[in-house]
Amino acid sequence: MSVLPDRVTRDPLRLVLVLIGAVTVLTGACQLFAPGFVLNQLSADSTGISRHLFATVGMFMVVVGGLLVQGLLTPAPPPYLLFWAGLQKFGAFVLVGIGVLRDLFAALALLVAFFDLATALLCWLMARRLASRAGDLHTAGAAR
């Protein structure tokens, strides 16, 4: 018996995105509460301001990851939720990549960047699928 609803466990894309959202919450919490540790793992400068800004990024990760999980657990999440979550993940891909190019982060951070890119693509795929289904519902409702 799963703690997740059947609509999540029977849908591989939804399940993967719920798990990614949960991981985003956890990693964001690590950045929020231990920014110096995470910055050290990325071989980045750990100053007072960099730790504070990294913690701020972690807070936004917790919020967006939580929104993604909660939205996907509902029966009919709005497509725009997945669009915006995907946009946040794509932005993270771009900005982390720029950070590596500027030698602000170790090359290890590229793993995070490409994971975020893959997540953005999955979010947009799910958004498209949800929008398509919503369109089908409007068409079915109009035929009545």
Side-chain angles (χ1 to χ4, degrees):
M1 184 169 165
S2 173
V3 297
L4 296 172
D6 283 345
R7 69 180 157 272
V8 174
T9 58
R10 287 186 308 214
D11 182 345
L13 179 57
R14 190 181 279 217
L15 178 60
V16 165
L17 286 170
V18 165
L19 295 174
I20 289 172
V23 168
T24 300
V25 169
L26 292 174
T27 56
C30 287
Q31 279 184 224
L32 177 60
F33 295 110
F37 173 78
V38 179
L39 285 166
N40 289 336
Q41 299 306 306
L42 298 173
S43 301
D45 288 340
S46 182
T47 64
I49 193 165
S50 67
R51 288 189 300 275
H52 181 80
L53 291 174
F54 214 61
T56 302
V57 170
M59 181 272 304
F60 282 109
M61 289 173 63
V62 169
V63 170
V64 172
L67 180 66
L68 184 61
V69 169
Q70 186 174 1
L72 287 170
L73 291 177
T74 66
Y80 63 79
L81 184 145
L82 280 294
F83 170 78
W84 285 101
L87 194 59
Q88 183 273 328
K89 291 295 189 175
F90 183 76
F93 160 73
V94 170
L95 292 170
V96 169
I98 290 170
V100 171
L101 289 174
R102 291 182 174 170
D103 290 324
L104 300 173
F105 303 124
L108 175 66
L110 289 176
L111 292 175
V112 174
F114 281 103
F115 183 78
D116 283 335
L117 176 62
T119 302
L121 296 173
L122 292 175
C123 282
W124 292 335
L125 179 64
M126 184 72 172
R128 185 175 174 158
R129 192 172 84 185
L130 291 169
S132 169
R133 287 183 182 168
D136 292 345
L137 291 175
H138 288 293
T139 304
R144 290 185 190 162

